[in-house]
Amino acid sequence: MAKTFREASATNVSDSIKSVLHEERVFNPSDEFSEEARISSLRRYKTLRRLAEKDPEKFWGNIAADLHWFTPWKKLLSWRAPHAKWFTGGKTNLSYNCLDRHLNSWKKTKAAIIWEGEPGDVRTLTYQQLHSEVCKFANGLESLGVKKGDTVGIYMGMVPEAAIAMLACTRIGAVHNVVFGGFSAEALRERMNDSNAKVLITQDGSYRRGGIVELKKAADEAAKKIPTLEHMIVLKRTDNEVMMKRKRDHWWNDLMLNASANHGAARLNSEHPLYILYTSGSTGKPKGIFHTTAGNMLWAYYTTRMVFDIQDDDVYWCSADIGWVTGHSYVVYGPLLNGATTLMYEGAPNWPEPDRFWEVIERHKVSIFYTAPTAIRAFMRWGDEHPQKHDLSSLRLLGTVGEPINPKAWMWYHRLIGGKNCPIVDTWWQTETGGIMISPLPGVTPTKPGSATLPLPGIQADVVRKDGTSCNPDEGGYLVIKHPWPSMLRTLFGDDKRYKETYWSNYKGWYFTGDGARKDKDGYFWVMGRVDDVVNVSGHRLGTAEIESSLVSHRAVVESAVVARPDEIKGNALVAFVTLGSKMKPSAALKETLRSHVGREIGSIAKPDEIRFAEALPKTRSGKIMRRLLREIASTGQVSGDITTLEDFSVLEELREE
Ligand code: ATP
Ligand code: MG
């Protein structure tokens, strides 16, 4: 079954990676921010780091003590590489910790979710209301025979019911597998089959850029070939006509109608399966990442608290879709575990106008905003006038995740969105890590544009050579995590062999991230791109992020992707795909200017041999540049690799025709 997911093999590390770009700007958090922050001194950060290393029982125990356990855990960590178990002997429940735990305090009436639909409708759910909805839906799921350990697919847009569905699953111990609503029927089918889904939750449709994405129609198409599927639950949102199959399909509202608003939370073992989620597919076939309960809960709770410094009066908005890990840990679980107010927005950032996000921030007085570099680059392209139209003074903290952020995009975010007085937390992590691993603490860490700065307490990250020795300052190498952490993936669902090969075959006992990085003299981490994407020119191995950032630093450029193609004379030639700012005109002269610009900025070895202007770059549906496709286009003009996770097929067509 679903053999297509089983093709890719491990990335092998080879020689070191040369670092060429240097960014010297440093920004300190303001005294004002630091004074109010949860962690306000570097000394405190260092103490926590030391504690985590010297007395892990105490460090993790302190965090775990904030949460509710039906039965206390006995053993902190059982580690037989590459398999870890955390908090064994304990019984807990994620949904209980997100909801019930707040109901005996004033938070009962606090907004848990503020939601804005694309057409402009707004809904607010208090903790009490969210609890009732989740209990009702948990009862609804059980009425269809869903039991502890069953897999439930969620294929929805950004509506509160998507969060309700996730929380209801975790309440009864069902395992959710959320599939991004922008994926095709085929991608949905593969993911449902790979995870043996018994029930699929979807909607008639979802609003996107003024149109309707017909989710139920795609779900019907997928369901033709999902043998394990017994039921579908359909939320009415867009009122488009849908087919309802008798006995199999049920309207969300019908299930809720007579369901009781009480449902106890299942007492689940710490290592009870929590969710399966497929990676973005930037580097190859998606992997079915498998996470378990207690460790994931603990890390979502702690990182949201530390990295976003989340406080009781914050309105926190993470713009990620619920279909990505960021949506799991930082739209739903992290903020709710902290009793915070999380904002969800249904639609596109440029609907009806390119200022929609800034309008949302102004309307709801958002104070913490977390988004992706790809979005920031799009905002830059659309023009400064859009954010400038709005009062963004409610913001106090900004974050990014997903790709290395180009220093120019960082500076734009800092100036135009943050009004120069919001710290920016550039958070490095992966679907596999479950939560943020390397990031500034906003009240403490001086930030440098383009660096994710330092590992969080409890995380032992390093940059190493092929032989496992640590790299010197500014020497490029491989990003590894040297000790297990609670929210680390437990395996790849149904494929432990690929799990071992992908993450554990390069370094014994260390987790290999697949990313290249360097540490500077202050110990700051700079991610240089995927090891798979490293370009080899004239005997030098270069990370893509640095050359791309150098191109982006030119005023004409907003986005770029660099790949290598075979060349008869040089062995390899560097090809840069470049997207220009909306007011810029492509020309042969500009190509020359850009080549010299890179030569001046980082030296002649990184000077692209060829520049290709592109209206848009091929990206995953989560917005990450797919360099592997560009590599194929640059060398053969064709694409043969997996494109199921590609966002926009027309982009490839245009690039091929160039
Ligand atoms: P696949 O594993 O299928 O190729 P993917 O790696 O894109 O997909 P994700 O788990 O969504 O799937 O992305 C994690 C990766 O994103 C990291 O390994 C890293 O390359 C990149 N990344 C995330 N955050 C940052 C950041 N702050 N700075 C630099 N890179 C980042
Ligand atoms: Mg990955």
Side-chain angles (χ1 to χ4, degrees), residues 279-287 400-404 426-432 513 515 527 530 624:
T279 55
S280 313
S282 308
T283 54
K285 291 278 184 188
K287 303 176 275 277
T400 76
V401 61
E403 288 178 295
D426 173 357
T427 62
W428 177 89
W429 60 294
Q430 311 177 299
T431 313
E432 290 88 339
T513 62
D515 286 347
V527 174
R530 319 303 183 106
K624 300 180 192 215

Side-chain angles (χ1 to χ4, degrees), residues 396-416:
R396 67 179 195 94
L397 175 62
L398 302 173
T400 76
V401 61
E403 288 178 295
I405 181 164
N406 319 106
K408 180 166 126 189
W410 195 102
M411 289 304 298
W412 186 90
Y413 200 30
H414 167 74
R415 276 189 291 114
L416 270 287

Side-chain angles (χ1 to χ4, degrees), residues 17 106 187 216 273 289 318 368 403 438 464 487 544 643 645:
I17 309 169
W106 64 272
K216 175 65 163 77
I289 306 297
C318 165
I368 304 174
E403 288 178 295
I438 305 178
V464 299
S487 63
T544 49
I643 52 167
T645 60

